[in-house]
Amino acid sequence: MQSNSIKKIVIVGGGTAGWMTAAALSSLLDKTQVSISLIESEQIGTVGVGEATLPHLRFFIKRLGIDEQEFMRRTNATYKTGIEFINWGQVGESYLHPFGDFGQSINSVDFHHYWVKQRQTGDKTDIGDYSLPVVASKMGKFDYPSSDEQSILSTFSYAFHLDAGLFAKFLREYSEEKGVVRTEGLIKHVKQDDKTAFISSVTLDSGQSIEGDLFIDCSGFRGLLIEQTLKTGYDDWRHWLPCDRAIAIPCETMSAPLPYTKATARDAGWQWRIPLQNRVGNGHIYSSSYMDDTTALDVLLQGLDAKPTGDPNFLRFTTGRRKKAWNKNCVAIGLSGGFLEPLESTSIHLIQLGIMKLLEFFPDKHCDEIKSAEYNRMMSLEFERLRDFLVLHYHATRRNDTDFWNYVRTMSLPDGLEHKMELFKERGHVVQYTEGLFLKASWLAVYLGQGVIPTHYDYNVDAQPQAKVENFLKQLKGNISDAAAGMNDHAISLANHCDINVNQTPPPASMSLYGRDA
Amino acid sequence: MSEHDRGPIQNICILGKHLHVASVAAALSRKFMQQNINIIAVNTEGNDKSVYGEASLSALHYFHRFLGLKEHQMMAVTSATYKLASQYKRWSCSEANDTSEKNKHSSFYHSLSSYGSMIDSIAFVHHLTKLRQNNKNYDFTCFSLPAVMARNGKFAKPESAQSALPYSYAMHIDATSYAKGMQDYATKLGVKFISSNIDNVQLKYIENNLGQPSAHVKQVTLSDGRQIKSELFIDCTSDGELIDKALNVGFEDWSEYLPCDRFLTCKTELDLQLQPSTNMNLHKNGWERSFPLQNGTVKEFFYSSKYLSDDEAVKEFEVNHLKDTKILSECRIEKQRTGRRKQFFSGNCVSMGGAAGSLDRLAVSDFHLVQSAVLRLIDLFPDTSLGQFADNFSRNEYNHLCTEEYARILDYHGAHFAIPAKEADESCSQFWQAQKTAILPDSLVKKFNLFEACGRIPFYERETFSSSTWVSLLLGLGMHPKSYDVLLDMPPASNERSIKAINNIMNTIKDISDRAPSHAQYLRQYCVRRNNR
C-alpha cells in the first residue's frame, strides 16, 4: 500500500455511468483496502433507453470478466456493425458508417483515391460496396469476424445495441456481489473541507451522512457535485451542435432485428432507431429553437415502424463539456462531465474512457493536480475530436429545406475543422491523429457518404494501369458480396450466441473501432 | 483561380549537402519513377566532410524498404555496423569527464524497444517502482533484449533471435559512401546530379487569392553559370541558402534548451571493438559520442563555444581520444545553431536538414530528419497551385507536422541535458550550472512532472519516440516515479509475483543473448564489402 491511499470512494448516481464505474472499480481495486459506495434515488429517472455502443465496450466487459453471451442475454442485446445515416447529405440519400475500413491501399496509395478517380470516369459504384460490414449489414447478416487475417471476413469489428436500464441492473448485481454498498436516498447537503474545498461528505434526505476520499459524480446533466457544489463551469457548444431536446419511446418489433443503428435526419434534428431483441428503441433529438415539443413528438411517432410500447420520455440537455472533468477530489463521469448527442453512439464509450483513465491516473487522498491535469487534458481532447466529427455530420450537407439545416450548413466551425474539410475536398487527404476514437475510415465514411468528394485524387493513382485497377476493384467488390452472402442471418447468429446451451467463443476484444486494420 | 491552372509539378530542384540531397533525390525518384518528372540534384557543398558517419534510428529500414533496397547490400556498400542501443556512460555532470571506471553503475544501454513487459496487465515501470520502494533495485539494461545484446557485443536478426520479445535495431553508416549509394540509386532512376556552388537565388512574387504578394524562388544561378528554374525547390544547404538567406522566414532559437553550438568530428582507425552500440558520454562542456563503422571509428564532441574555445576543444579531444590511435580523417569543427525555421516550407521552397534547423544529435540527427521530411513531403506532395493560395494545403500541413515533430524531439533531446543538470552543484562546470537554471519547454516539464508523479508520459501527437521509449530513457537516466499504479496493490499482484516475472524476463533475455553470435562475427558473415574499398 502506498501512503495516503484512497480508502473510501463514493459514487453519486446510478444509471449506466454510476454502475459501470462501480463495476469497474469494485472489480479492479482491492476491496480489503478500499470501500465503494453508490448513492442513487429511485425518484430520479435515468436517461438511458435503447443504447447503441461501440466495439470498445467488449473490451470493458471482458476486462471485468463478464461473459459476453450472458451479458447479451441479460441486456436484450443485438449486434451492431455500423450506423445507417439517412437524409443527411440530402433528403433521399443514405450511407452506412461501418466498424471497418473501405477497400485496401494499392501501391501505398489509399483506396479512396482510386475510387475518386473511378468516379470521375463515370463509375458510380458506392464506396460502401467495398466494405464487408456495409454489404453484410444491408443483407441483415452477422457472424463473428474471422480470426484469419487474410480473409475478407476479418475486416470488421462489432458492438451491441442494448437496453441501458437492464445493463445498469446487470452491473448493479455484479457490483453488489463484489461488495459495492448501495444506498437509496436523495442528497440534501454536500460538505466541503474548509481549507481545501475538497468534498468531505454528503448528507442524504434520511439524515445519513456518507464520507469519502474520492467522489465520482454520476448524477447526470445537473452535475450535483462537479457543478452545483464545485462550480467547475461548462463550455456550451450549442452554437455548433444546436440540438438540445430529445424524446425517447420504445415500440414493438415487427421484423428480424437489423445489425445496425439507423439515424434519420429530420427537419430540426434526427431520429434514432435501435433494435433490441424484444423491441425497438426510438428517439427524436431536436433543437428547441427550430421545433416545439408537440411537433417533435408528432415527427417521432410518425417515424415509428410499429405501435409504441411505452410513454414518451422528454429530455433536455446542453451540448458541451465540463471545463474540468476532474476537479479537486471529484471526477465527473457520464453526462455530468459533458454531453454530446448520441449520433455516433459515444455516450457509453465516454463513460468507459473516463473510468479507464481514472484507473490509470488513480490518485491518493491529495488528488495531485499533475495527474488530474493530464486526465483533464486527455478527456478534453477526446471530447473536442468527437465534437468535430459530430459537427461534420451536420455541416457537410446540401440540405436547404429548413431553417435548421440552413443554419448548420452555414455556421462557423470549431478551429481546425474547416481546415480538415478543406484538405479533404481539395486533395482527399484525411487529417490523421493517433489518440482519438474516430480515425481515417470514419471520416471517409461521412465525407463520402454525405457527398463531400475530393476535387483531386492523389496523382500517383495514374501510375497504375487503368485496366488493372478496374479489374482489382471488380474482384474486390465480388469477393465482398460473395463473402457477405455466405454469412449467417443476424437473427440466427443472435439466437445461437444467446442460446444458453450453445457455447461459442467470441473473438478477442480490443480498443479499436475497425477490426484488424487499426 | 481556375481549375486548369493546376496540375502535377514537373520540375524539382534539390540543392545542398551531398548526403541529404542524394537521400531526398533517391526518395523522390522512387516515388515518381513512373511519372515523367524532371529532378535535378545539386551538391553545393563540395566534398563534404562535416560528418563522417551517422547513427540512425530504426526508421531507416522503412526508408530503405520504400526505396526497395536490400539491407545486406546497404550494410556492405556503406561500411555499416548494426546499432542495438546507445550506451550512456557517466551521464551525470558530477561524473562528466571522470574517466575512471569506478562509476560503472551509471552505465546504461538504451535500446528503442520496450523494456520488460506488462505483468498482470500492469505496465512494467510500476512493478519496478514498487519494488524500488521496497529497496529492491535492478540493473535496468537487463530488461531489453537488444540492450543486453549490445552490452555483450552480440547481434542477430529478430527472426533468428526466436522470441516474441520486443527487438529493433538501427545502423551506423559511413556518410560519404551512403551519399554515393543514394546518388547512384537516384541516377539510375533519371535524376541529374550537378556539383556547383550557389551564386545567387532569384525570387518572384506571386499574388495569391487574398491579393497579397508571396515570395517564391524563381531560379537559382550556380557558380558555373547555369540557371535552374523549377516549380519546387528543396533546400538542403547547411545554412538555409534559399529558405533563410533568400526567403528570410525567420528562426526560432533553442540554444537555451540545446546549448551546444559547435561540434568536432574525426574518424580514426577501428579502435573500438565492433560494438553494436553508440557510446555517449557527458562532458563538462557538452557531450561526446563515438561509434564504429566497418572501416573505422567516428568520434564526435559537441560543446558550447561560450565555455570552450575551438583550440581548447581540439587539444582536449586529442589528448582524450586520439593519443593512441591512427587518425584516418582530419578533425573538423562545424558550427551548429540549435533551433528551427519559423516555416519549414515557404512559397515553393521546402527546407530539410540543416536548412530546416538543428536539434543537436543526441538521438536524432539531420540524417533521420531529412528522410522523415522527404517521406512527409511525398505524402503531402503539392501541385502547381502553390502560389495561388495563401492557405495551401500541402504547405500548411507540412509546416504543421514538422513543427510538432521538431517540438517533440526538442523535448527528447532537452531531457538529455535537463536530467543531469538537475543535480548540478558548485563542483560542476559552469556549463552545467547554467543548464540547471535553463527554462525548459512546457511540454518537457509536463513529461517530467507526470512521470515523477506516477510513471506515465503525457500524450502528445507525433512523437518520434514511443511512450515506452520515453519511460526507459527517463528511468535509465536516473529519474524515478514516486508512486505506482494502484492496481498493483490488488491481488493477484504481489511483490513475489512481480519478482518472479521480472526474473523470468531477465533470464529469457540472457539466454537468447548468450546464444547469439558476436556482432563482429555476424558482420563478417553477412555484411562485409567484398570488393576493394
Side-chain angles (χ1 to χ4, degrees), chain A residues 1-2 26-31 33-34 63 107-109 359-363 368 370-371 373-374 377-378 381 385 419 422-423 426-427 429 431-436 455-456 458-465, chain B residues 3 6-9 30-32 34-35 66 120-122 130 133 378-383 385 389 393-394 396-397 400 446 449-450 453-454 456-462 482-487 489-491:
Chain A
M1 254 305 112
Q2 303 180 83
S26 63
S27 159
L28 298 172
L29 296 178
D30 182 356
K31 270 112 33 211
Q33 303 291 335
V34 187
R63 184 84 207 271
N107 199 25
S108 68
V109 178
L359 283 165
E360 260 181 51
F361 294 105
F362 204 79
D368 191 346
I370 289 170
K371 288 184 187 178
E374 179 66 7
R377 202 173 71 95
M378 297 292 294
L381 191 66
R385 286 178 168 174
H419 167 72
E422 279 307 311
L423 291 190
E426 191 52 37
R427 291 282 298 274
H429 187 84
V431 173
Q432 306 239 41
Y433 40 74
T434 45
E435 189 76 16
T455 319
H456 302 89
D458 186 328
Y459 292 116
N460 287 296
V461 164
D462 290 332
Q464 298 292 319
Chain B
E3 268 304 309
R6 24 192 340 180
I9 280 174
R30 167 76 186 136
K31 183 63 183 178
F32 298 119
Q34 281 159 306
Q35 280 107 310
F66 178 83
D120 292 326
S121 307
I122 296 167
K130 188 175 178 186
Q133 289 178 3
I378 284 170
D379 192 31
L380 298 168
F381 207 74
D383 60 20
S385 69
F389 301 100
F393 119 87
S394 296
N396 285 359
E397 193 66 4
H400 168 68
K446 279 206 172 87
N449 287 346
L450 190 70
C454 62
R456 292 176 200 276
I457 304 292
F459 168 78
Y460 289 93
E461 288 284 0
R462 279 168 273 281
K482 291 196 197 80
S483 74
Y484 53 85
D485 192 323
V486 49
L487 300 185
D489 286 330
M490 168 75 180

Side-chain angles (χ1 to χ4, degrees), chain A residues 429-497:
Chain A
H429 187 84
V430 180
V431 173
Q432 306 239 41
Y433 40 74
T434 45
E435 189 76 16
L437 183 54
F438 294 105
L439 305 180
K440 187 147 84 179
S442 296
W443 285 81
L444 273 177
V446 177
Y447 280 135
L448 300 177
Q450 299 197 182
V452 181
I453 313 290
T455 319
H456 302 89
Y457 53 82
D458 186 328
Y459 292 116
N460 287 296
V461 164
D462 290 332
Q464 298 292 319
Q466 183 68 8
K468 189 178 142 199
V469 172
E470 277 174 19
N471 196 32
F472 174 82
L473 293 182
K474 205 174 128 201
Q475 246 180 32
L476 179 63
K477 189 178 157 191
N479 289 345
I480 286 175
S481 142
D482 291 349
M487 287 165 71
N488 271 317
D489 285 344
H490 179 216
I492 293 176
S493 288
L494 205 52
N496 271 337
H497 299 167

Side-chain angles (χ1 to χ4, degrees), chain A residues 306-352:
Chain A
K307 233 175 46 202
T309 58
D311 292 327
N313 184 7
F314 290 83
L315 308 160
R316 292 174 175 217
F317 44 80
T318 305
T319 49
R321 174 193 59 190
R322 194 72 56 202
K323 284 188 192 297
K324 289 178 186 174
W326 182 344
N327 189 2
K328 304 198 182 290
N329 64 337
C330 172
V331 183
I333 290 179
L335 302 177
S336 52
F339 177 78
L340 290 170
E341 53 184 279
L343 188 54
E344 285 284 357
S345 325
T346 48
S347 315
I348 287 185
H349 176 71
L350 285 169
I351 294 171
Q352 177 180 346

Side-chain angles (χ1 to χ4, degrees), chain A residues 84-95 263-266 269-271 341 343 390 393-394 396-399 405 449-450:
Chain A
E84 185 182 24
F85 289 92
I86 302 160
N87 297 342
W88 286 82
Q90 184 56 276
V91 176
E93 292 180 357
S94 72
Y95 67 95
T264 308
R266 300 294 187 209
W270 60 280
Q271 180 164 346
E341 53 184 279
L343 188 54
L390 297 182
H393 293 65
Y394 286 105
T397 186
R398 282 155 286 132
R399 284 188 67 156
W405 288 101
Q450 299 197 182

